[in-house]
Amino acid sequence: MPPSGLRAALVLLPPLLLFRAVLTVPLEREAPKDESPATESPVSGPVLLSSQDTGLYYHRYLQEVINVLETDGHFREKLQAANAEDIKSGKLSRELDFVSHHVRTKLDELKRQEVSRLRMLLKAKMDAEQEPNVQLDHLSLLKQFEHLDPQNQHTFEARDLELLIQTATRDLAQYDAAHHEEFKRYEMLKEHERRRYLESLGEEQRKEAERKLEEQQRRHREHPKVNVPGSQAQLKEVWEELDGLDPNRFNPKTFFILHDINSDGVLDEQELEALFTKELEKVYDPKNEDDDMREMEEERLRMREHVMKNVDTNQDRLVTLEEFLVSTQRKEFGDTGEGWETVEMHPAYTEEELRRFEEELAAREAELNAQAQRLSQETEALGRSQGRLEAQKRELQQAVLQMEQRKQQQQGYNAPAPGPEGQLKFQPHNTDDAPVPAPAGDQKDEAASEKKVPEHPPELPQPDSQHL
């Protein structure tokens, strides 16, 4: 069955297989009552699918663009007729000019949101580098993001789709290599910390710790034989234990159909990795704290790479039915020797790489110590500055308090206290001109004399004009 939809077409590109963003989970199937080789139809069963994160920092933008493009009928038709070269060369991107206005509007909005997100990331980065007042040149800075056209920050054009495909193709192609490098550093860090821990112990304690470690490694090596991924023994084990079918009636074509979970005619990386679960469970137990789950995921990746190298002849990171059937005819398919050599049999690093890694750690530690010392000195300087500011603050507060007290004293001297009934009493400001009150007896005499004074003075006789 040919792939359909944008996701199925994009998987024609080797690294764009993850565009489908579908993670296949191993299925538990009941054994059918009867099987017929070569013509057997897939056994139905519950399928659990979930979103698969590509690990790209623009994964969400990539996924949303795919989802929107799949809703356009014209683009979907052109996509079904396109081949891998059309997609990689950008020919398919030009079909974007013919999609519906509604789809273009959604794509424009997605791009504006992505540009806004990138701007926020840039600002956060500048703030983290303690340069908050630097004027950002967003256009220049956006050029470092290659999955969109920074010259046009408002509309989604054919150029944007072309850049998105090209960038994702390159980044996903480097995904496995980056994963291996990350695992190597993880293993070196574990060994570095183990050695430092042993150096910190006394002689007897160190011997006991080394004995326990050797015992733990011995128990880990005592596991059932791990079959070579993609071999007849490994596939038959899945056929019997996972599919519930008779191992004596193993049929490669039926096996392929059963495990092509989304029925797109190919086995992608997730569908292949699901086949290795039984082998991994022989070595790693999630409930056992001594088993490292990071090592298990590295083992899964190594198994998948082994199958792709030997089965995927055109290196498109997809296994077709024809490629799968051809691989079952090879001599290596039935001859697996002593089985699969696990990660512990193949150290991820050399002693020279570990030495350089430890030197890098030492340099980084010295740099962090220097930064910590500078921060400590700056903290002390800030503490002293804060102490001076606190002293100045207390002086200012004391001065304000004294001014308030003087103001209150002046107000209390000029304004007499109110009377018993709250009435105000006023006094003249010039106390030198105020009359001195007389004694109590004199006050009575003055009061009496004041009463004897007539209200109107007596009339005096008028002089005679003749006498004048």
Side-chain angles (χ1 to χ4, degrees):
M1 181 181 296
S4 60
L6 179 59
R7 290 185 177 88
L10 285 177
V11 297
L12 294 174
L13 294 175
L16 295 185
L17 120 88
L18 292 178
F19 271 20
R20 290 184 291 182
V22 174
L23 175 61
T24 305
V25 177
L27 308 180
E28 295 292 340
R29 299 187 177 89
E30 296 181 358
K33 296 181 180 179
D34 187 22
E35 319 103 352
S36 57
T39 60
E40 182 180 352
S41 60
V43 179
S44 61
V47 178
L48 177 61
L49 302 178
S50 62
S51 177
Q52 171 71 19
D53 194 336
T54 61
L56 303 176
Y57 68 90
Y58 51 90
H59 168 80
R60 182 175 178 177
Y61 173 66
L62 171 66
Q63 188 62 58
E64 290 177 342
V65 168
I66 293 173
N67 293 339
V68 171
L69 287 173
E70 282 187 326
T71 64
D72 186 81
H74 171 80
F75 193 87
R76 190 165 53 247
E77 290 178 3
K78 293 296 183 181
L79 186 59
Q80 291 174 354
N83 55 34
E85 188 59 33
D86 291 338
I87 299 176
K88 288 190 292 185
S89 66
K91 180 179 179 181
L92 182 66
S93 302
R94 292 191 286 272
E95 297 297 331
L96 189 67
D97 295 334
F98 303 100
V99 301
S100 66
H101 175 72
H102 180 64
V103 170
R104 290 299 295 268
T105 301
K106 286 186 176 180
L107 292 173
D108 292 345
E109 180 61 24
L110 287 177
K111 182 174 181 181
R112 286 193 291 268
Q113 292 176 359
E114 179 69 0
V115 170
S116 177
R117 184 184 73 89
L118 296 177
R119 285 175 173 171
M120 292 178 62
L121 290 175
L122 291 171
K123 184 178 185 304
K125 181 180 178 181
M126 299 298 291
D127 291 345
E129 294 175 352
Q130 299 181 351
E131 298 181 19
N133 298 323
V134 176
Q135 186 68 28
L136 298 181
D137 184 356
H138 285 101
L139 180 58
S140 298
L141 293 173
L142 284 172
K143 290 181 180 179
Q144 63 184 295
F145 302 110
E146 301 176 352
H147 64 286
L148 50 72
D149 181 9
Q151 300 293 336
N152 177 12
Q153 302 179 19
H154 303 287
T155 60
F156 189 96
E157 305 296 340
R159 178 60 177 163
D160 291 292
L161 182 58
E162 181 180 356
L163 289 173
L164 184 59
I165 292 175
Q166 291 175 353
T167 306
T169 300
R170 182 198 63 219
D171 293 346
L172 290 174
Q174 300 171 354
Y175 181 79
D176 289 348
H179 187 281
H180 287 309
E181 183 62 26
E182 180 183 353
F183 177 74
K184 177 192 291 187
R185 295 181 67 84
Y186 168 75
E187 288 290 292
M188 289 192 294
L189 181 60
K190 277 203 318 183
E191 178 62 17
H192 170 72
E193 292 179 344
R194 186 189 71 84
R195 294 184 181 185
R196 289 188 63 178
Y197 170 71
L198 292 176
E199 291 174 358
S200 67
L201 301 177
E203 184 177 355
E204 293 298 326
Q205 292 177 320
R206 182 167 60 253
K207 289 181 179 180
E208 179 63 18
E210 290 176 345
R211 185 191 65 79
K212 289 182 179 180
L213 178 61
E214 291 176 358
E215 178 64 19
Q216 176 183 332
Q217 293 174 344
R218 183 189 62 79
R219 290 196 305 268
H220 187 67
R221 289 192 296 266
E222 292 179 351
H223 54 72
K225 176 184 176 181
V226 179
N227 296 311
V228 175
S231 66
Q232 184 180 39
Q234 190 260 320
L235 298 183
K236 276 189 174 183
E237 193 172 88
V238 174
W239 173 276
E240 178 181 7
E241 298 187 16
L242 185 60
D243 300 329
L245 302 176
D246 185 356
N248 296 321
R249 304 186 65 180
F250 174 76
N251 183 277
K253 183 175 181 181
T254 303
F255 183 92
F256 183 94
I257 296 173
L258 283 172
H259 294 277
D260 179 16
I261 304 301
N262 56 4
S263 301
D264 61 354
V266 295
L267 296 180
D268 60 35
E269 294 181 344
Q270 284 71 47
E271 290 168 333
L272 283 174
E273 289 181 357
L275 302 178
F276 311 142
T277 301
K278 297 297 296 183
E279 302 301 323
L280 293 170
E281 289 176 349
K282 297 176 182 179
V283 185
Y284 301 97
D285 181 5
K287 298 180 181 179
N288 186 355
E289 61 180 9
D290 292 336
D291 290 344
D292 192 335
M293 295 299 102
R294 288 283 296 271
E295 289 185 3
M296 185 184 73
E297 292 307 316
E298 175 69 10
E299 197 74 75
R300 190 191 304 273
L301 176 58
R302 290 178 66 243
M303 289 180 172
R304 189 245 295 165
E305 289 178 331
H306 173 80
V307 172
M308 286 295 187
K309 179 180 179 180
N310 293 278
V311 181
D312 180 23
T313 55
N314 63 355
Q315 301 297 308
D316 64 352
R317 298 171 75 101
L318 298 169
V319 176
T320 64
L321 176 59
E322 180 181 358
E323 289 174 330
F324 184 76
L325 294 178
V326 168
S327 70
T328 62
Q329 303 302 316
R330 297 194 184 105
K331 178 183 177 181
E332 296 81 5
F333 181 69
D335 183 12
T336 58
E338 297 181 357
W340 176 254
E341 295 183 353
T342 57
V343 170
E344 60 193 13
M345 302 178 184
H346 294 274
Y349 56 89
T350 64
E351 281 296 321
E352 177 62 22
E353 289 175 327
L354 178 60
R355 184 187 62 80
R356 291 197 299 267
F357 177 75
E358 289 180 329
E359 290 177 353
E360 178 185 338
L361 286 181
R364 180 59 177 162
E365 185 176 0
E367 180 182 352
L368 290 176
N369 289 335
Q371 291 180 358
Q373 185 176 2
R374 287 196 300 270
L375 289 175
S376 177
Q377 294 173 352
E378 292 176 0
T379 302
E380 293 177 359
L382 288 174
R384 292 192 296 269
S385 177
Q386 184 177 5
R388 290 193 297 268
L389 291 175
E390 289 291 337
Q392 294 176 2
K393 179 180 178 181
R394 288 192 296 270
E395 291 177 0
L396 291 174
Q397 290 176 342
Q398 186 66 24
V400 171
L401 181 60
Q402 292 175 357
M403 292 176 62
E404 290 291 337
Q405 290 176 349
R406 286 197 296 270
K407 183 177 180 182
Q408 291 176 2
Q409 290 174 357
Q410 291 177 357
Q411 290 177 349
Y413 181 77
N414 294 329
E421 297 181 359
Q423 70 274 21
L424 297 177
K425 294 182 178 181
F426 298 94
Q427 294 180 352
H429 293 284
N430 190 357
T431 57
D432 297 334
D433 298 336
V436 179
D442 296 339
Q443 290 179 356
K444 293 181 180 179
D445 296 338
E446 288 178 1
S449 63
E450 289 176 358
K451 291 180 180 179
K452 295 179 181 181
V453 175
E455 295 181 3
H456 301 285
E459 293 183 0
L460 296 176
Q462 296 292 332
D464 190 357
S465 59
Q466 296 179 0
H467 293 287
L468 297 174

